[in-house]
Amino acid sequence: MSVGIEKLIETVQHNCDIADAQHGGDYTMCTYLMKMREYFRWVGGYGFSDRIPADELGDWLESREGRFNELEEADFSSIEVDGRQADPFDAELINSWLNPHGLVYSAGLETWRWNSLDNPMGRAFACYDLETDIEEALSLIADHELESVRQHEIGEYLAGQMLGDKWNHLLMAVSGTPAELMMRGLRDHLADCLATIPYLVEDGRESSIHFLLGNLSGMRAQLFPSLRVEYEKWRESGDRRGLLELSKRGQDHWQQLAESLLVFDEGDPHLRHQVEEAVNNAIMKA
């Protein structure tokens, strides 16, 4: 194949590593570690039901951190196809070269141009001028969202003070099951209701509210459908008070649910089922 597939794969992986190195810190620690664990599962060829060896994962994470440290200040490499070079963000041009070979390219960072989509993430990006000066826009997004991350970490700290060490013991006992995702999701919601949502609402950070909802997916979305309901009400009315009131109710709801799980025995063989039943019965509906 004339496109130089091996070199192309190497360059794309290099750019992915740079993106991970420069933006991995945008996630909360628990989310980052979960993403890295699943990345390791893919790299190592482990199935979803396979138990990941802790020592091997730890060594791999250490090596990846070293790699990321080397790339924190690196520039993205151009994509080369048939001797032609393109900016790695110019997916349209690159695909015009690759499609005839039966290949498709996605920069991943194309999602930053979702501002034309009518969904929370699209609305968040629409708050910034991505078309005129993407670098400046991304810098502003990073500045604003790092404050959201900081508020979430404050909430995580407060949640940790409430729940104590037993929470982490229970979490380890259900590792790799839907119960783990439920526990992580409800604690994320507790943290956001304690700190993130009140801050964003009271400070009028509308783009960050859109981002918060844009990242509400999977298990977290299933546990807190009322958050999306209040978000849509805010969009229609412009009144943020419903979101603030929801965060206050959410503080009590998620704290009570989390504390109810602490009565379970981490050694109980039925623990994951107990957790799943308790959480499924406490979904915060509108």
Side-chain angles (χ1 to χ4, degrees):
M1 183 177 293
S2 61
V3 295
I5 189 65
E6 295 299 328
K7 177 62 176 177
L8 178 62
I9 292 173
E10 180 181 333
T11 302
V12 171
Q13 184 60 63
H14 176 72
N15 286 342
C16 288
D17 288 346
I18 292 174
D20 287 340
Q22 296 179 353
H23 300 288
D26 294 349
Y27 297 110
T28 63
M29 182 58 70
C30 63
T31 300
Y32 174 77
L33 291 176
M34 286 181 67
K35 286 179 176 291
M36 291 301 287
R37 184 184 65 182
E38 293 311 304
Y39 183 23
F40 174 78
R41 185 189 299 280
W42 174 75
V43 169
Y46 292 100
F48 288 111
S49 61
D50 294 336
R51 193 171 190 83
I52 295 177
D55 290 344
E56 189 176 341
L57 173 59
D59 292 341
W60 180 81
L61 281 172
E62 185 175 349
S63 69
R64 294 301 297 175
E65 287 297 325
R67 167 77 169 154
F68 291 165
N69 288 337
E70 296 173 356
L71 296 174
E72 282 184 339
E73 303 299 326
D75 294 325
F76 291 103
S77 297
S78 298
I79 300 296
E80 182 173 335
V81 179
D82 293 333
R84 297 168 293 186
Q85 294 190 343
D87 185 290
F89 299 113
D90 195 347
E92 184 176 354
L93 175 61
I94 295 169
N95 275 313
S96 73
W97 298 341
L98 289 177
N99 290 169
H101 297 282
L103 299 174
V104 176
Y105 173 82
S106 173
L109 301 174
E110 290 173 80
T111 54
W112 290 339
R113 296 189 173 98
W114 285 351
N115 54 310
S116 62
L117 299 180
D118 186 23
N119 58 31
M121 195 64 76
R123 296 173 200 125
F125 287 123
C127 295
Y128 300 91
D129 187 7
L130 290 166
E131 298 302 326
T132 302
D133 190 343
I134 190 170
E135 294 298 330
E136 176 64 19
L138 292 176
S139 178
L140 288 173
I141 291 172
D143 288 343
H144 294 165
E145 295 317 303
L146 280 174
E147 182 56 36
S148 296
V149 171
R150 191 176 81 88
Q151 291 299 321
H152 181 81
E153 291 304 321
I154 291 172
E156 284 280 357
Y157 172 78
L158 295 174
Q161 294 292 102
M162 294 174 178
L163 303 178
D165 291 336
K166 186 175 180 181
W167 180 266
N168 294 325
H169 297 158
L170 290 172
L171 193 62
M172 290 299 295
V174 297
S175 178
T177 72
E180 178 191 2
L181 297 179
M182 288 178 169
M183 290 184 67
R184 291 188 183 279
L186 76 87
R187 177 163 169 162
D188 274 346
H189 289 321
L190 175 58
D192 283 337
C193 286
L194 286 167
T196 318
I197 297 174
Y199 172 80
L200 298 181
V201 170
E202 292 173 350
D203 206 53
R205 293 185 174 243
E206 296 191 357
S207 64
S208 293
I209 295 174
H210 290 308
F211 270 120
L212 181 72
L213 270 292
N215 285 305
L216 184 67
S217 60
M219 183 64 72
R220 293 172 61 250
Q222 294 178 40
L223 297 180
F224 204 178
S226 56
L227 179 55
R228 188 169 296 277
V229 171
E230 288 300 331
Y231 165 78
E232 293 298 340
K233 289 181 180 178
W234 162 63
R235 279 217 312 127
E236 294 173 2
S237 69
D239 188 345
R240 298 190 296 268
R241 287 177 296 179
L243 284 168
L244 188 60
E245 292 168 1
L246 178 65
S247 71
K248 293 176 182 177
R249 297 198 309 274
Q251 290 178 27
D252 293 335
H253 178 86
W254 300 118
Q255 181 178 355
Q256 290 172 14
L257 174 56
E259 289 175 345
S260 74
L261 302 185
L262 294 176
V263 304
F264 296 148
D265 181 355
E266 63 189 88
D268 192 322
H270 303 294
L271 175 61
R272 61 165 290 191
H273 301 294
Q274 294 171 332
V275 170
E276 290 170 14
E277 181 179 9
V279 175
N280 279 326
N281 288 333
I283 291 174
M284 196 167 179
K285 300 177 182 177

